[in-house]
Amino acid sequence: MDRVITTRDLRKNFRTRKGSVEAVRGVSIDVGRGEIFGFLGPNGAGKTTTLRMLTTLLPIDSGEAKVAGFDVARQPEQVRRRIGYVSQLGGADEMATGWENLVLQGRLYGEDLDTVRRRAHELAAVLDLTDFADRKVLTYSGGQRRRLDVALGVIHDPEVLFLDEPTTGLDPHNRANLWDHIRALRDRGTTVFLTTHYLEEADVLSGRLMIMDHGVIVAEGTPRELKRKVAGDSVLIGLHDEHLADRATLLLRDNPHVREISAEPGGLRLYVEDGSLALPELLRVLDREALGLKSIRLSEPTLDDVFLRQTGRSLRDATAEAAA
Amino acid sequence: MKTLREVGLFFQRNATQQLRNPVWMFVGLSAPVLYLTLFTPLLKHFSGADATTGQTLDVFLPGILALLAFTSGSAQGFGTIFELRSGVIERFRVTPASRLAILAGPLLSGMAFLFLFSAIAVAVAVAFGFHLHWVGLLVLAVLLGLFMVTMGAFSVATALITKEISGFAAVINGLNLPVLLLAGVLLPIALGPSWLRALAHVDPLYYVVEGSRALTAGTLTDDHVWQAFAVTIPLCAVVVFWATSVFRKAVA
């Protein structure tokens, strides 16, 4: 693999009033050229901190990081020339037009005005900015603004584009639209490294991904590989009477189909080897014991199941927990 | 060469943005004119019954110019706070642009506006009888430019450290009042008791104000002139160096 990003045992501590917090605890990453690499995890997992170290914004405490062939700590200027970064905030000048933003950004990379203008028009076509690029950024919708932010990140044709939570705050339509644009950039040869706390985004967009929680990598691979590792399908059983969940657990625990069983609000969640074979059997048992089956749902594993299995909580809960 | 080009780019960006903000332009223009029209009549009374408006302005205008340099410098950090919050600074920090240029562009643009507003204040004062000494004013421009950059770099660095508006405003406002009162901006500190005159010597703005009075009077060889530069130049060097290093380090 032609690697564009490699890190070994990357660490970062923050000092707070309460003492030291280990935000990133030994992260090793390999990202190949031309892929979309997803970095999934709840808020506060350490994704942004990792990203900020890779983009030279935050000093690295220990460990090594190489981006586009240069050492991040020792050759930050070389790294900066070869990367683009779009933060959660974006950072376009609101009082300037889209064109003005793009031209200034391009010129900061040392390009002459003609080259920058040509590139800005090319990008405006790729990212659908042409219709509004002569208006002040202040007037843009969320989706328009986000696309300009991405354009600012790639105006100098970087080898790697870092996107921090690119679709946060966008509606589903604009989110899908931005995904298409990110794929278009990848097809033009840009490596994309993106963080997200959206399962679906990591699943549909990234070729490979990493799941991070509490500063460490808990899983890594293609979405398919990760889901296969969870092994089998999950069956969600809803009961009319929640108090019967314990009895149902006892009944089903030793069933040969069942690999794992856990209580869920309103019922149970089971992991089974093969859902299509297990389902008739499960129905039979529950029916025989008159446990008051309300609903049953079979689902193939999602990245949330992967997260749940690795960390013991669902990504949604972890995100809510971080927000609290 | 590279840094110079980048300073130019950031200068242009800031100047364009300020010109697009008519309210800000109006406030910037009106402040010195308000001081001159509303405060000079009061001061004239102090200067003695037979003092002309021109003589009063000769003492008062240099203080106003020093005050403009001081306030336009110390206000620089407000823009920094806004740009930190909106992610603009982070966007620039990821580019290969020189850190010094990211800092210097806005400061120099602020300086250009300081000169513009000061020139208008001088023009208004001349209309009321202020005595003009060209060479003195040119040297004064250098002194005030240096002082404005010193204050501006200090303000921006404070903004980068405090990161949010309330902390920043507390530090800057808390510092502004004693510095202004001790400098004799509106009334010469020489009118005060000896302890006040002694205390004024720890205030860099005091030297700038005294130097300004000597320069607008056209007496370039006055001791206050070299003293003002002797205080401002090293202070400027130290503060700009400190501010650049704050910029280089992590800011959230």
Side-chain angles (χ1 to χ4, degrees), chain A residues 35-62:
Chain A
E35 69 176 329
I36 298 180
F37 190 88
F39 207 26
L40 176 70
N43 294 327
K47 294 174 302 191
T48 298
T49 304
T50 307
L51 203 69
R52 288 168 60 80
M53 285 195 277
L54 293 179
T55 50
T56 76
L57 286 168
L58 209 57
I60 294 168
D61 280 359
S62 77

PDB file of all heavy atoms in Angstrom, chain A residues 35-62:
ATOM      1  N   GLU A  35      -7.758   6.745  -0.963  1.00  0.00           N
ATOM      2  CA  GLU A  35      -8.939   6.167  -0.308  1.00  0.00           C
ATOM      3  C   GLU A  35      -9.670   7.215   0.533  1.00  0.00           C
ATOM      4  O   GLU A  35      -9.123   8.262   0.850  1.00  0.00           O
ATOM      5  CB  GLU A  35      -8.553   4.950   0.547  1.00  0.00           C
ATOM      6  CG  GLU A  35      -7.747   5.238   1.792  1.00  0.00           C
ATOM      7  CD  GLU A  35      -7.511   3.957   2.627  1.00  0.00           C
ATOM      8  OE1 GLU A  35      -8.375   3.067   2.603  1.00  0.00           O
ATOM      9  OE2 GLU A  35      -6.469   3.871   3.291  1.00  0.00           O
ATOM     10  N   ILE A  36     -10.918   6.900   0.837  1.00  0.00           N
ATOM     11  CA  ILE A  36     -11.642   7.701   1.817  1.00  0.00           C
ATOM     12  C   ILE A  36     -11.580   6.922   3.116  1.00  0.00           C
ATOM     13  O   ILE A  36     -12.059   5.793   3.203  1.00  0.00           O
ATOM     14  CB  ILE A  36     -13.111   7.934   1.406  1.00  0.00           C
ATOM     15  CG1 ILE A  36     -13.178   8.721   0.096  1.00  0.00           C
ATOM     16  CG2 ILE A  36     -13.861   8.681   2.520  1.00  0.00           C
ATOM     17  CD1 ILE A  36     -14.603   8.991  -0.385  1.00  0.00           C
ATOM     18  N   PHE A  37     -10.912   7.500   4.094  1.00  0.00           N
ATOM     19  CA  PHE A  37     -10.695   6.814   5.352  1.00  0.00           C
ATOM     20  C   PHE A  37     -11.567   7.463   6.419  1.00  0.00           C
ATOM     21  O   PHE A  37     -11.484   8.665   6.650  1.00  0.00           O
ATOM     22  CB  PHE A  37      -9.217   6.914   5.731  1.00  0.00           C
ATOM     23  CG  PHE A  37      -8.826   6.029   6.887  1.00  0.00           C
ATOM     24  CD1 PHE A  37      -8.430   4.722   6.675  1.00  0.00           C
ATOM     25  CD2 PHE A  37      -8.862   6.516   8.190  1.00  0.00           C
ATOM     26  CE1 PHE A  37      -8.072   3.901   7.741  1.00  0.00           C
ATOM     27  CE2 PHE A  37      -8.509   5.702   9.258  1.00  0.00           C
ATOM     28  CZ  PHE A  37      -8.119   4.394   9.023  1.00  0.00           C
ATOM     29  N   GLY A  38     -12.420   6.662   7.036  1.00  0.00           N
ATOM     30  CA  GLY A  38     -13.341   7.206   8.031  1.00  0.00           C
ATOM     31  C   GLY A  38     -12.814   6.996   9.438  1.00  0.00           C
ATOM     32  O   GLY A  38     -12.167   5.992   9.731  1.00  0.00           O
ATOM     33  N   PHE A  39     -13.131   7.951  10.283  1.00  0.00           N
ATOM     34  CA  PHE A  39     -12.679   7.912  11.657  1.00  0.00           C
ATOM     35  C   PHE A  39     -13.928   8.113  12.497  1.00  0.00           C
ATOM     36  O   PHE A  39     -14.412   9.230  12.649  1.00  0.00           O
ATOM     37  CB  PHE A  39     -11.684   9.059  11.833  1.00  0.00           C
ATOM     38  CG  PHE A  39     -10.659   8.834  12.895  1.00  0.00           C
ATOM     39  CD1 PHE A  39     -10.271   7.568  13.271  1.00  0.00           C
ATOM     40  CD2 PHE A  39     -10.056   9.919  13.511  1.00  0.00           C
ATOM     41  CE1 PHE A  39      -9.316   7.379  14.246  1.00  0.00           C
ATOM     42  CE2 PHE A  39      -9.103   9.744  14.488  1.00  0.00           C
ATOM     43  CZ  PHE A  39      -8.731   8.473  14.849  1.00  0.00           C
ATOM     44  N   LEU A  40     -14.485   6.989  12.977  1.00  0.00           N
ATOM     45  CA  LEU A  40     -15.797   7.020  13.610  1.00  0.00           C
ATOM     46  C   LEU A  40     -15.663   6.949  15.128  1.00  0.00           C
ATOM     47  O   LEU A  40     -14.823   6.219  15.641  1.00  0.00           O
ATOM     48  CB  LEU A  40     -16.615   5.830  13.093  1.00  0.00           C
ATOM     49  CG  LEU A  40     -18.003   5.585  13.687  1.00  0.00           C
ATOM     50  CD1 LEU A  40     -18.979   6.649  13.245  1.00  0.00           C
ATOM     51  CD2 LEU A  40     -18.516   4.207  13.280  1.00  0.00           C
ATOM     52  N   GLY A  41     -16.496   7.682  15.808  1.00  0.00           N
ATOM     53  CA  GLY A  41     -16.496   7.607  17.261  1.00  0.00           C
ATOM     54  C   GLY A  41     -17.418   8.652  17.834  1.00  0.00           C
ATOM     55  O   GLY A  41     -17.785   9.592  17.143  1.00  0.00           O
ATOM     56  N   PRO A  42     -17.814   8.479  19.099  1.00  0.00           N
ATOM     57  CA  PRO A  42     -18.699   9.487  19.710  1.00  0.00           C
ATOM     58  C   PRO A  42     -17.945  10.796  19.922  1.00  0.00           C
ATOM     59  O   PRO A  42     -16.717  10.824  19.872  1.00  0.00           O
ATOM     60  CB  PRO A  42     -19.082   8.853  21.041  1.00  0.00           C
ATOM     61  CG  PRO A  42     -17.989   7.901  21.356  1.00  0.00           C
ATOM     62  CD  PRO A  42     -17.460   7.408  20.045  1.00  0.00           C
ATOM     63  N   ASN A  43     -18.669  11.860  20.184  1.00  0.00           N
ATOM     64  CA  ASN A  43     -18.020  13.126  20.519  1.00  0.00           C
ATOM     65  C   ASN A  43     -17.165  12.917  21.753  1.00  0.00           C
ATOM     66  O   ASN A  43     -17.568  12.241  22.681  1.00  0.00           O
ATOM     67  CB  ASN A  43     -19.068  14.206  20.810  1.00  0.00           C
ATOM     68  CG  ASN A  43     -19.861  14.550  19.571  1.00  0.00           C
ATOM     69  OD1 ASN A  43     -19.331  14.504  18.469  1.00  0.00           O
ATOM     70  ND2 ASN A  43     -21.122  14.870  19.753  1.00  0.00           N
ATOM     71  N   GLY A  44     -15.977  13.503  21.733  1.00  0.00           N
ATOM     72  CA  GLY A  44     -15.095  13.373  22.888  1.00  0.00           C
ATOM     73  C   GLY A  44     -14.227  12.123  22.861  1.00  0.00           C
ATOM     74  O   GLY A  44     -13.508  11.847  23.805  1.00  0.00           O
ATOM     75  N   ALA A  45     -14.277  11.365  21.751  1.00  0.00           N
ATOM     76  CA  ALA A  45     -13.488  10.138  21.673  1.00  0.00           C
ATOM     77  C   ALA A  45     -12.009  10.414  21.417  1.00  0.00           C
ATOM     78  O   ALA A  45     -11.160   9.566  21.652  1.00  0.00           O
ATOM     79  CB  ALA A  45     -14.037   9.230  20.571  1.00  0.00           C
ATOM     80  N   GLY A  46     -11.707  11.622  20.926  1.00  0.00           N
ATOM     81  CA  GLY A  46     -10.318  11.957  20.602  1.00  0.00           C
ATOM     82  C   GLY A  46     -10.071  12.090  19.109  1.00  0.00           C
ATOM     83  O   GLY A  46      -8.937  12.238  18.677  1.00  0.00           O
ATOM     84  N   LYS A  47     -11.141  12.045  18.321  1.00  0.00           N
ATOM     85  CA  LYS A  47     -10.992  12.138  16.861  1.00  0.00           C
ATOM     86  C   LYS A  47     -10.420  13.485  16.439  1.00  0.00           C
ATOM     87  O   LYS A  47      -9.455  13.547  15.676  1.00  0.00           O
ATOM     88  CB  LYS A  47     -12.361  11.966  16.167  1.00  0.00           C
ATOM     89  CG  LYS A  47     -12.976  10.604  16.316  1.00  0.00           C
ATOM     90  CD  LYS A  47     -14.386  10.621  15.719  1.00  0.00           C
ATOM     91  CE  LYS A  47     -15.186  11.629  16.394  1.00  0.00           C
ATOM     92  NZ  LYS A  47     -16.494  11.921  16.389  1.00  0.00           N
ATOM     93  N   THR A  48     -11.055  14.548  16.934  1.00  0.00           N
ATOM     94  CA  THR A  48     -10.608  15.879  16.520  1.00  0.00           C
ATOM     95  C   THR A  48      -9.195  16.161  17.009  1.00  0.00           C
ATOM     96  O   THR A  48      -8.386  16.737  16.279  1.00  0.00           O
ATOM     97  CB  THR A  48     -11.588  16.949  17.035  1.00  0.00           C
ATOM     98  OG1 THR A  48     -12.861  16.706  16.436  1.00  0.00           O
ATOM     99  CG2 THR A  48     -11.140  18.346  16.669  1.00  0.00           C
ATOM    100  N   THR A  49      -8.886  15.712  18.212  1.00  0.00           N
ATOM    101  CA  THR A  49      -7.525  15.908  18.733  1.00  0.00           C
ATOM    102  C   THR A  49      -6.506  15.225  17.833  1.00  0.00           C
ATOM    103  O   THR A  49      -5.468  15.798  17.502  1.00  0.00           O
ATOM    104  CB  THR A  49      -7.430  15.358  20.171  1.00  0.00           C
ATOM    105  OG1 THR A  49      -8.426  15.996  20.962  1.00  0.00           O
ATOM    106  CG2 THR A  49      -6.071  15.619  20.767  1.00  0.00           C
ATOM    107  N   THR A  50      -6.817  13.988  17.405  1.00  0.00           N
ATOM    108  CA  THR A  50      -5.918  13.276  16.501  1.00  0.00           C
ATOM    109  C   THR A  50      -5.757  14.061  15.203  1.00  0.00           C
ATOM    110  O   THR A  50      -4.645  14.263  14.701  1.00  0.00           O
ATOM    111  CB  THR A  50      -6.479  11.873  16.194  1.00  0.00           C
ATOM    112  OG1 THR A  50      -6.743  11.205  17.415  1.00  0.00           O
ATOM    113  CG2 THR A  50      -5.498  11.062  15.371  1.00  0.00           C
ATOM    114  N   LEU A  51      -6.885  14.512  14.669  1.00  0.00           N
ATOM    115  CA  LEU A  51      -6.872  15.261  13.416  1.00  0.00           C
ATOM    116  C   LEU A  51      -6.041  16.535  13.544  1.00  0.00           C
ATOM    117  O   LEU A  51      -5.273  16.889  12.649  1.00  0.00           O
ATOM    118  CB  LEU A  51      -8.318  15.625  13.065  1.00  0.00           C
ATOM    119  CG  LEU A  51      -8.584  15.895  11.602  1.00  0.00           C
ATOM    120  CD1 LEU A  51      -8.454  14.605  10.827  1.00  0.00           C
ATOM    121  CD2 LEU A  51      -9.976  16.462  11.425  1.00  0.00           C
ATOM    122  N   ARG A  52      -6.191  17.207  14.672  1.00  0.00           N
ATOM    123  CA  ARG A  52      -5.466  18.468  14.863  1.00  0.00           C
ATOM    124  C   ARG A  52      -3.966  18.229  15.005  1.00  0.00           C
ATOM    125  O   ARG A  52      -3.164  19.083  14.642  1.00  0.00           O
ATOM    126  CB  ARG A  52      -6.022  19.227  16.065  1.00  0.00           C
ATOM    127  CG  ARG A  52      -7.403  19.825  15.758  1.00  0.00           C
ATOM    128  CD  ARG A  52      -8.087  20.327  17.007  1.00  0.00           C
ATOM    129  NE  ARG A  52      -7.309  21.351  17.662  1.00  0.00           N
ATOM    130  CZ  ARG A  52      -7.277  22.625  17.283  1.00  0.00           C
ATOM    131  NH1 ARG A  52      -8.007  23.016  16.293  1.00  0.00           N
ATOM    132  NH2 ARG A  52      -6.530  23.491  17.909  1.00  0.00           N
ATOM    133  N   MET A  53      -3.579  17.069  15.519  1.00  0.00           N
ATOM    134  CA  MET A  53      -2.151  16.748  15.561  1.00  0.00           C
ATOM    135  C   MET A  53      -1.630  16.481  14.149  1.00  0.00           C
ATOM    136  O   MET A  53      -0.561  16.950  13.773  1.00  0.00           O
ATOM    137  CB  MET A  53      -1.904  15.533  16.461  1.00  0.00           C
ATOM    138  CG  MET A  53      -2.010  15.851  17.942  1.00  0.00           C
ATOM    139  SD  MET A  53      -1.304  14.556  18.964  1.00  0.00           S
ATOM    140  CE  MET A  53      -2.659  13.410  19.026  1.00  0.00           C
ATOM    141  N   LEU A  54      -2.423  15.746  13.358  1.00  0.00           N
ATOM    142  CA  LEU A  54      -1.982  15.401  12.003  1.00  0.00           C
ATOM    143  C   LEU A  54      -1.900  16.625  11.099  1.00  0.00           C
ATOM    144  O   LEU A  54      -1.171  16.639  10.121  1.00  0.00           O
ATOM    145  CB  LEU A  54      -2.932  14.372  11.375  1.00  0.00           C
ATOM    146  CG  LEU A  54      -2.935  12.994  12.026  1.00  0.00           C
ATOM    147  CD1 LEU A  54      -3.939  12.081  11.339  1.00  0.00           C
ATOM    148  CD2 LEU A  54      -1.547  12.372  11.967  1.00  0.00           C
ATOM    149  N   THR A  55      -2.675  17.664  11.412  1.00  0.00           N
ATOM    150  CA  THR A  55      -2.692  18.856  10.559  1.00  0.00           C
ATOM    151  C   THR A  55      -1.794  19.970  11.101  1.00  0.00           C
ATOM    152  O   THR A  55      -1.956  21.131  10.718  1.00  0.00           O
ATOM    153  CB  THR A  55      -4.123  19.398  10.415  1.00  0.00           C
ATOM    154  OG1 THR A  55      -4.710  19.529  11.710  1.00  0.00           O
ATOM    155  CG2 THR A  55      -4.983  18.463   9.595  1.00  0.00           C
ATOM    156  N   THR A  56      -0.891  19.636  12.004  1.00  0.00           N
ATOM    157  CA  THR A  56       0.118  20.550  12.575  1.00  0.00           C
ATOM    158  C   THR A  56      -0.467  21.613  13.513  1.00  0.00           C
ATOM    159  O   THR A  56       0.232  22.536  13.911  1.00  0.00           O
ATOM    160  CB  THR A  56       0.945  21.325  11.497  1.00  0.00           C
ATOM    161  OG1 THR A  56       0.142  22.388  10.947  1.00  0.00           O
ATOM    162  CG2 THR A  56       1.424  20.418  10.382  1.00  0.00           C
ATOM    163  N   LEU A  57      -1.736  21.487  13.859  1.00  0.00           N
ATOM    164  CA  LEU A  57      -2.344  22.524  14.706  1.00  0.00           C
ATOM    165  C   LEU A  57      -2.045  22.315  16.180  1.00  0.00           C
ATOM    166  O   LEU A  57      -2.127  23.247  16.967  1.00  0.00           O
ATOM    167  CB  LEU A  57      -3.862  22.546  14.501  1.00  0.00           C
ATOM    168  CG  LEU A  57      -4.336  23.143  13.182  1.00  0.00           C
ATOM    169  CD1 LEU A  57      -5.806  22.853  12.966  1.00  0.00           C
ATOM    170  CD2 LEU A  57      -4.083  24.638  13.156  1.00  0.00           C
ATOM    171  N   LEU A  58      -1.728  21.089  16.545  1.00  0.00           N
ATOM    172  CA  LEU A  58      -1.548  20.756  17.948  1.00  0.00           C
ATOM    173  C   LEU A  58      -0.234  19.985  18.088  1.00  0.00           C
ATOM    174  O   LEU A  58       0.007  19.052  17.330  1.00  0.00           O
ATOM    175  CB  LEU A  58      -2.727  19.867  18.367  1.00  0.00           C
ATOM    176  CG  LEU A  58      -3.212  19.883  19.796  1.00  0.00           C
ATOM    177  CD1 LEU A  58      -3.591  21.283  20.229  1.00  0.00           C
ATOM    178  CD2 LEU A  58      -4.423  18.967  19.912  1.00  0.00           C
ATOM    179  N   PRO A  59       0.627  20.393  19.028  1.00  0.00           N
ATOM    180  CA  PRO A  59       1.883  19.663  19.204  1.00  0.00           C
ATOM    181  C   PRO A  59       1.614  18.210  19.627  1.00  0.00           C
ATOM    182  O   PRO A  59       0.668  17.950  20.370  1.00  0.00           O
ATOM    183  CB  PRO A  59       2.589  20.425  20.327  1.00  0.00           C
ATOM    184  CG  PRO A  59       1.848  21.689  20.526  1.00  0.00           C
ATOM    185  CD  PRO A  59       0.473  21.499  19.975  1.00  0.00           C
ATOM    186  N   ILE A  60       2.452  17.305  19.121  1.00  0.00           N
ATOM    187  CA  ILE A  60       2.315  15.885  19.450  1.00  0.00           C
ATOM    188  C   ILE A  60       3.102  15.609  20.729  1.00  0.00           C
ATOM    189  O   ILE A  60       4.256  16.003  20.831  1.00  0.00           O
ATOM    190  CB  ILE A  60       2.852  15.037  18.278  1.00  0.00           C
ATOM    191  CG1 ILE A  60       1.963  15.230  17.054  1.00  0.00           C
ATOM    192  CG2 ILE A  60       2.968  13.568  18.667  1.00  0.00           C
ATOM    193  CD1 ILE A  60       2.543  14.670  15.768  1.00  0.00           C
ATOM    194  N   ASP A  61       2.477  14.964  21.706  1.00  0.00           N
ATOM    195  CA  ASP A  61       3.178  14.666  22.954  1.00  0.00           C
ATOM    196  C   ASP A  61       4.213  13.570  22.763  1.00  0.00           C
ATOM    197  O   ASP A  61       5.358  13.702  23.137  1.00  0.00           O
ATOM    198  CB  ASP A  61       2.184  14.227  24.039  1.00  0.00           C
ATOM    199  CG  ASP A  61       1.488  15.412  24.689  1.00  0.00           C
ATOM    200  OD1 ASP A  61       1.797  16.556  24.292  1.00  0.00           O
ATOM    201  OD2 ASP A  61       0.636  15.195  25.561  1.00  0.00           O
ATOM    202  N   SER A  62       3.766  12.447  22.182  1.00  0.00           N
ATOM    203  CA  SER A  62       4.728  11.391  21.880  1.00  0.00           C
ATOM    204  C   SER A  62       4.184  10.529  20.765  1.00  0.00           C
ATOM    205  O   SER A  62       2.997  10.598  20.431  1.00  0.00           O
ATOM    206  CB  SER A  62       5.021  10.552  23.123  1.00  0.00           C
ATOM    207  OG  SER A  62       3.944   9.671  23.358  1.00  0.00           O
TER     208      SER A  62
END
